[in-house]
Amino acid sequence: MNSLLIENGRLVDPSVQHDAVARLLIDDGYVVAIDPLDGDLPPSIPRLNAAGKIVAPGLVDLCSELREPGRDEDETIASGALAALAGGYTSILCSSNTHPPIDSPGAVEFVRQKAAQARGPRIHVTGCVSKQRQGQEMAELGLLVDAGAVAFSDSPAPLANSALLRRALEYCRMFDRPIFDRPEVPELAGRGVMHEGCHSLVLGLAGLPTEAEDLAVARDVRLAEATGGRLHVGPVSTMGSVDLISRVKSRGIQVTASVCPHNLGLTDEKLRSFDARYKVHPPLRSGRHVETLRQAVADGTIDVIQTGHMPRAREKKMDDLDLAPFGMTSLETCLAASATALVRSGVLDWLTLIDRMSTAAAKVAGIKGGRLQVGDPADVVIIDPDFAWTVSESSFRSRCSSTPLLGCELYGRITETIVGGEVRFQSI
Amino acid sequence: MAASSASEFVFPTAWKRRHLLDLETLTAEEITILLDTAQQMKDATGNCRRKLSLLSGKTCANLFFENSTRTRNSFSLAAKRLGADTVEFSSAGSSVAKGETFVDTAKTIEAMGVDWVVTRHATPGTPHLLARELACSVMNAGDGPHEHPTQGLLDMLTIRQHRQSFEGLTVALVGDIAHSRTARSNLWGLSKLGAHVIVCGPSTLVSPRWEELGFEVAHSLDDILPRCDVLNLLRVQFERQVTRPFPSIHEYAALYAMNGERMSRSKKDILIMAPGPINRGVEITPEVADGPHSVILEQVTNGIAVRMAALWLLSNASDNATSPTS
């Protein structure tokens, strides 16, 4: 018997709208009891005192780039797993944009084996929508499902080929697996490196116009409506996207959406420094977009906050803005960045934030997780909600420390991450 | 007041900057110091022809990652007119072609003992990046479509020589504003000193967002022409454009080229400027480019004076810098 009693913590479980102090008893990897506990517990049961902390379902990320195989200089499955645990994640979906990409059962198996060795969070595989992520010919989606893929995406490349997206949505209905699309019309995005607005105008930097995203979202949701397939768009970053998603949801169309934390707290003004750390995808937008996105998370138009974890090696980010790649490390800062932007400012309560980062994400991915009821896997995160810390390069377990949040003061620290009843991360 | 020899140059105590990266972040006072110093340099050297020994023993490296004719030679001559040595670098055939980043290339050149790096690059912000990475002074000789501060200053010096003051002056920047670093430096510099600036060109090359920043936007040159004291005709930069922003050069010239007919409808004392290289028949016709209102070649001469002033000011301010990119 492998038991653990988490006591005195504020148990937050959005799946049942629970937010109150409670005890959680774990046994053999599963939740076996929630306060009030029946009967006396033997004193030999290990106890974890969570007084003053939040005890919640482990976080779930819909798209983490782990970069192995092929781009190990940015991240490996092992380093990404450590970063995920430190960020409170008990389940992550790894992106298909490895080299070679995850478009075959063998590639799925490679990730699963490496993930098992890493003993990090549960690592689920996102398979490619198209062969070689070329965006033309559908990958063998059925065989990828058999191998263990839980979702499909060519992200961060958008699914620009409308016919391919339509077919994939239709085809995936057989397997009840979602298609994730990062919405962007490539011809409109062009060589843009930042949000197209007054700042890009002054800096002379090529802009990414909002309509490049808006038009892709419009197309995506229309195809979801036409096919009945499970579509998840994101991460989104514009007011136009929010408006479109809101309208289709009100008509009952099955579409979900996500946003990244940097789009909830930072604006494009940061690029005034010409610092490549601020070159991220989706780009940092203007304040009006940021405010709309925050409200959309609050009212549920946007279902999920995903990390947008796109680690890139330091030397790659040292180049000029045209050549430096998009991307940032985010697994370890996502919760604190979101809590700082949304909970501290009063936009969300903790129950809703945990929903957007765990419960809703698990539902979109169609995986277990996001709840802590009796019989559920004991995937738990414990959070010190008021702990203030400053993001520094030395604090990362990820191979990449490039983030626009460097130097920012954030609130909220992960103190423990428990996967299947086992404490796999504990802050010092 | 004109200086007649090197000994008469007095360093302005208000100047603190170690780098010259843009005009947007300069104050009106700093811009005026640069213009005053440039005028002194020009006067003291007989139209920039004689040498001074203000910077003897110093070395200026010209790191040009983009092609250039006038700017590169102008910086080189400016350094030599002040008695400094120069190192010339171009990316073609260099270690950049072997995969070295431009930052490492610049650090290598700096390690050879240079006092200033003058840099031109296709990407906005590269001089700012170098200013953070290098110990020596950095001068921006053009960073993509962002800024070209010495071009802005030489344009302003030329205007000031003809108009004395910028207050009440209407200056139109005509052409490819979207891709013009000259336009951005002119916009900040001229507006800080009191001029009214109009950006004029096809709506695909002149964003309405300039109005949000306080500048007048126009799409008809004929409409604004009677109000203009100065026209700065900017080249259409086809090399920077992803999709063609107007149907044909023929149409562009019909709508925006400064020609004899338009000159007849302009103010009698209008100044015609162009940063060059000029495309005769596109943004300007030969009779205007070579006509009595054109100050295009004066701009070239003033470019040397402005760069001499900037090199001297930066060289003396290195100990007073307040931040890595100031």
Side-chain angles (χ1 to χ4, degrees), chain B residues 123-186:
Chain B
T123 303
T126 45
H128 302 70
L129 183 52
L130 288 188
R132 285 197 292 267
E133 296 285 338
L134 303 184
C136 67
S137 290
V138 176
M139 203 175 320
N140 181 5
D143 58 333
H146 176 224
E147 281 219 41
H148 191 353
T150 54
Q151 179 68 47
L153 290 165
L154 73 89
D155 290 346
M156 294 174 72
L157 182 63
T158 308
I159 294 171
R160 200 174 74 165
Q161 286 166 354
H162 286 268
R163 290 290 186 273
Q164 283 76 52
S165 170
F166 296 97
E167 292 287 345
L169 216 57
T170 297
V171 181
L173 309 172
V174 183
D176 187 354
I177 308 300
H179 302 96
S180 174
R181 49 196 173 210
T182 296
R184 285 171 178 77
S185 288
N186 267 267

Side-chain angles (χ1 to χ4, degrees), chain B residues 13-268:
Chain B
T13 53
W15 184 267
K16 306 286 186 195
R17 289 180 186 266
R18 192 159 59 95
H19 309 293
L20 180 59
L21 306 178
D22 51 55
L23 295 192
E24 187 194 1
T25 55
L26 260 57
T27 63
E29 183 186 14
E30 288 170 322
I31 292 170
T32 303
I33 289 172
L34 274 158
L35 296 178
D36 290 346
T37 308
Q39 189 63 57
Q40 279 185 300
M41 293 284 177
K42 189 174 181 183
D43 294 341
T45 54
N47 237 10
C48 301
R49 288 182 172 273
R50 288 195 302 274
K51 288 182 79 167
L52 301 172
S53 55
L54 288 171
L55 296 178
S56 57
K58 304 258 186 182
T59 304
C60 175
N62 286 328
L63 267 61
F64 277 58
F65 297 88
E66 260 192 344
N67 294 334
S68 167
T69 303
R70 69 199 66 215
T71 303
R72 182 190 198 112
N73 288 325
S74 183
F75 267 109
S76 188
L77 275 172
K80 287 171 180 165
R81 293 277 194 267
L82 293 170
D85 297 319
T86 59
V87 175
E88 300 295 331
F89 167 88
S90 58
S91 52
S94 73
S95 293
V96 174
K98 300 173 188 170
E100 188 172 71
T101 67
F102 83 98
V103 173
D104 284 330
T105 300
K107 283 182 173 175
T108 302
I109 300 283
E110 183 192 30
M112 295 177 186
V114 305
D115 300 284
W116 313 268
V117 161
V118 176
T119 182
R120 169 170 285 195
H121 199 283
T123 303
T126 45
H128 302 70
L129 183 52
L130 288 188
R132 285 197 292 267
E133 296 285 338
L134 303 184
C136 67
S137 290
V138 176
M139 203 175 320
N140 181 5
D143 58 333
H146 176 224
E147 281 219 41
H148 191 353
T150 54
Q151 179 68 47
L153 290 165
L154 73 89
D155 290 346
M156 294 174 72
L157 182 63
T158 308
I159 294 171
R160 200 174 74 165
Q161 286 166 354
H162 286 268
R163 290 290 186 273
Q164 283 76 52
S165 170
F166 296 97
E167 292 287 345
L169 216 57
T170 297
V171 181
L173 309 172
V174 183
D176 187 354
I177 308 300
H179 302 96
S180 174
R181 49 196 173 210
T182 296
R184 285 171 178 77
S185 288
N186 267 267
L187 279 164
W188 300 124
L190 289 165
S191 59
K192 280 171 196 273
L193 294 197
H196 176 72
V197 187
I198 307 172
V199 283
C200 176
S203 50
T204 44
L205 293 175
V206 182
S207 168
R209 289 195 176 98
W210 286 116
E211 283 183 337
E212 295 175 39
L213 296 163
F215 301 102
E216 182 179 343
V217 170
H219 303 303
S220 167
L221 176 58
D222 291 319
D223 284 352
I224 63 165
L225 195 53
R227 290 194 281 135
C228 293
D229 299 294
V230 181
L231 284 188
N232 200 344
L233 302 163
L234 308 174
R235 185 173 65 88
V236 179
Q237 305 203 28
F238 294 105
E239 72 276 15
R240 295 190 196 278
Q241 296 162 2
V242 178
T243 53
R244 194 164 184 153
F246 46 78
S248 68
I249 291 173
H250 174 72
E251 178 166 313
Y252 179 86
L255 296 176
Y256 297 104
M258 197 58 194
N259 53 32
E261 190 276 322
R262 286 197 168 101
M263 283 301 295
S264 68
R265 290 189 284 111
S266 306
K267 285 188 176 180
K268 298 295 179 215

Side-chain angles (χ1 to χ4, degrees), chain A residues 201 203-204 272-274 320 322, chain B residues 24 123-125 132 145-146 184:
Chain A
L201 185 71
L203 299 176
R272 298 300 294 237
S273 62
F274 292 108
D320 64 77
D322 278 351
Chain B
E24 187 194 1
T123 303
R132 285 197 292 267
H146 176 224
R184 285 171 178 77

